[in-house]
Amino acid sequence: MRIGRILIALVLIVTLAAGGWALLHRDQIHSPGDLFRLAGDQIDKVRKQFAPSHTASWRGNSRGVIRIASFNTRGLDEARLANPLVDTVLAKVISQFDVIALQEVRVDDPWLLTRFLKRFDNETGQFDFVMGVPDTDSGENVCNVFVYNRATITLDNERHYSVNDPDNLIQRKPLVAWFRAVNAELDGAFTFSLVNVQLNPLSPKNEVLQIGPVFRAVRGDGRSEDDVIMIGDFGVPAAYLKEAEIGGGLAPLVRSVATSTAGDAQPDNVLIDSIATSEFSGEAGVFDFMKICNLTLAEAQLVSDHLPVWAEFYIRENTSPGRVAESESANQADR
């Protein structure tokens, strides 16, 4: 009899929990099919979110997602692009992604990327770019750049900037831009602020502590965007990023895999607030151009000693209650 009472209690608890969940999502449930589809989607997201490592193998893209990447080009200039191998591999890398954050692009020649993009996309104008503030203090005259595919991503030209850092806490100022996925309904399309980061390669651990303040500054920059994605060359592995007191609930998406062509380091990553940015599909990893293009290590390092890192996001906003931007706006209104 006691076992029977326990089973009845468990059934009641499960029934109440299921009823509460259905009530919470009543605006998305119009038929029994919607109920099972929504439950399946949420279970799949949770499973992927808590998977031990997000290092997915490269595969064909699907129409329901966009891919965001980062690649340290290690001082890209015209002399290196004159090498057909470098030119071809870089074009292949960029063409795989909807938006890619490049680091260490030299700015001695302001038309360098314009000429390169026209060559590789047959002057269709499908790919465009925006540049950040050059790092002239180190004498290297390099900057961060976003290259994006206009067919899948829209850039708000009035909403990109380099982070204001009057105390010079980060030598190479992060570049911030606001993007929107194109292939979704306008009022439900995924929008996000993307932060292109390269920490000082000589002392990245000194600058890692600024990641949290930069993240919070971008989230509070006035556009009420809750989805802030930080991507780039952090100079330290994922384990250090997780342990460092960067705050903001930020989590690295690329784990347990090297991001260098030599396979001996993990400086590059993608950071998100996994609660706010629930549009993350659960897929992330490295684009191993050395293996994909069948290059030797020496050939690959002519391109870069870094491998691109990437993460995949659904093109439609998650409309579940409790979005950070709405919560913050409400909190500000209450004050």
Side-chain angles (χ1 to χ4, degrees), residues 48-49 51-55 211 229-232 234 236-244 246-247 249-256 266-274 280 284-285 309-311:
K48 289 179 177 179
Q49 188 65 58
S53 179
H54 297 299
T55 54
I211 294 301
I229 303 168
M230 303 191 77
I231 192 167
F234 297 91
V236 294
Y240 190 89
L241 288 171
K242 288 183 68 176
E243 294 169 4
I246 55 179
L250 292 171
L253 300 183
V254 180
R255 313 169 200 161
S256 307
Q266 192 190 48
D268 312 280
N269 223 303
V270 186
L271 299 179
I272 65 168
D273 177 340
S274 54
F280 173 51
V309 295
W310 59 273

Side-chain angles (χ1 to χ4, degrees), residues 175-194:
L175 173 63
V176 183
W178 187 85
F179 293 95
R180 174 176 58 81
V182 168
N183 296 319
E185 300 82 1
L186 186 60
D187 60 352
F190 177 45
T191 63
F192 56 97
S193 292
L194 192 58

Side-chain angles (χ1 to χ4, degrees), residues 137-155:
D137 293 340
S138 66
E140 295 187 50
N141 208 29
V142 295
C143 72
N144 293 345
V145 174
F146 286 122
V147 177
Y148 61 100
N149 185 341
R150 292 189 191 197
T152 57
I153 290 286
T154 293
L155 165 74

Side-chain angles (χ1 to χ4, degrees), residues 117-131:
L117 292 178
K118 281 186 176 180
R119 283 201 306 273
F120 102 77
D121 74 354
N122 297 317
E123 300 195 16
T124 63
Q126 182 171 328
F127 287 84
D128 205 349
F129 69 94
V130 60
M131 304 179 73

Side-chain angles (χ1 to χ4, degrees), residues 94-112:
I94 290 176
S95 67
Q96 302 299 311
F97 301 102
D98 300 285
V99 56
I100 183 166
L102 304 179
Q103 298 87 42
E104 291 195 36
V105 176
R106 297 195 64 86
V107 293
D108 308 288
D109 179 356
W111 299 102
L112 172 71

